[in-house]
Amino acid sequence: MYQEKDLQALSAQIRKERLLCYVPAALLLAAGVVTFVLRMKVLTMVLLALGGVLMIFSASVLIAPLKAYRRHIQNALGSDQKEYTGVIKNLGDKAVEREGVMYYPFCLSVGDLANEEDDRLLYLDANLDKPDWQLGDRLHVRSCARFVSYWEKC
């Protein structure tokens, strides 16, 4: 599902977003410092406020989701993986947010279908194409902390 080139492309996108967002914010903050030295109170407040808002907005709305997705891909490529083989018992139709990334939840029964202790709640990346799974399909899944990094039908 994921390759090292995906991680590199995402890291490049994060660098680009940082440049596009933080450089203008830094310029506004620097201009605010200059106007402070020149004793222009109102202009200083406006420039510092704009620079601060742009910095906070950029970090929380534009860059944080990309960093969360990068962390997801890093975990999928290199962390401890658990493998399950089982039958799909439940499919979520709406994406949910977990750790800053959108996922489709599904339940995989790895043992007796009637025994709820054998059920595993897993999450499939909603940024990828949704597979054409049906209830009762048998899957082999590799996951890192409930987040699927590889799957195939058996």
Side-chain angles (χ1 to χ4, degrees):
M1 284 177 50
Y2 303 105
Q3 297 176 356
E4 192 66 33
K5 68 178 182 176
D6 299 328
L7 185 60
Q8 292 169 355
L10 193 55
S11 293
Q13 184 179 359
I14 290 171
R15 282 191 299 276
K16 178 184 169 190
E17 289 289 330
R18 282 181 176 159
L19 265 175
L20 291 175
C21 298
Y22 290 160
V23 169
L27 290 174
L28 285 170
L29 293 173
V33 169
V34 169
T35 58
F36 176 76
V37 170
L38 297 175
R39 307 259 187 228
M40 302 172 157
K41 291 181 182 179
V42 175
L43 189 56
T44 299
M45 289 188 297
V46 170
L47 289 172
L48 291 177
L50 284 174
V53 166
L54 182 59
M55 186 81 70
I56 292 169
F57 175 80
S58 301
S60 60
V61 175
L62 301 175
I63 297 171
L66 293 173
K67 289 174 72 174
Y69 194 61
R70 179 176 64 183
R71 186 174 46 253
H72 164 75
I73 292 177
Q74 285 171 332
N75 290 339
L77 290 174
S79 293
D80 294 333
Q81 304 282 321
K82 293 183 180 179
E83 295 196 22
Y84 302 106
T85 300
V87 176
I88 298 176
K89 191 172 181 180
N90 188 1
L91 287 170
D93 54 346
K94 293 187 179 182
V96 296
E97 183 178 347
R98 297 288 182 264
E99 298 180 17
V101 180
M102 299 301 288
Y103 298 98
Y104 291 113
F106 68 99
C107 183
L108 190 70
S109 179
V110 296
D112 183 17
L113 284 171
N115 188 354
E116 289 185 8
E117 290 182 11
D118 291 338
D119 293 348
R120 303 292 182 265
L121 177 62
L122 300 170
Y123 297 98
L124 184 67
D125 187 354
N127 293 309
L128 303 176
D129 294 334
K130 192 172 182 181
D132 60 341
W133 295 345
Q134 303 298 323
L135 294 178
D137 284 352
R138 189 160 181 78
L139 295 179
H140 177 75
V141 174
R142 189 171 34 226
S143 71
C144 173
R146 293 189 176 191
F147 305 112
V148 174
S149 59
Y150 170 82
W151 66 270
E152 70 178 346
K153 283 188 178 183
C154 299

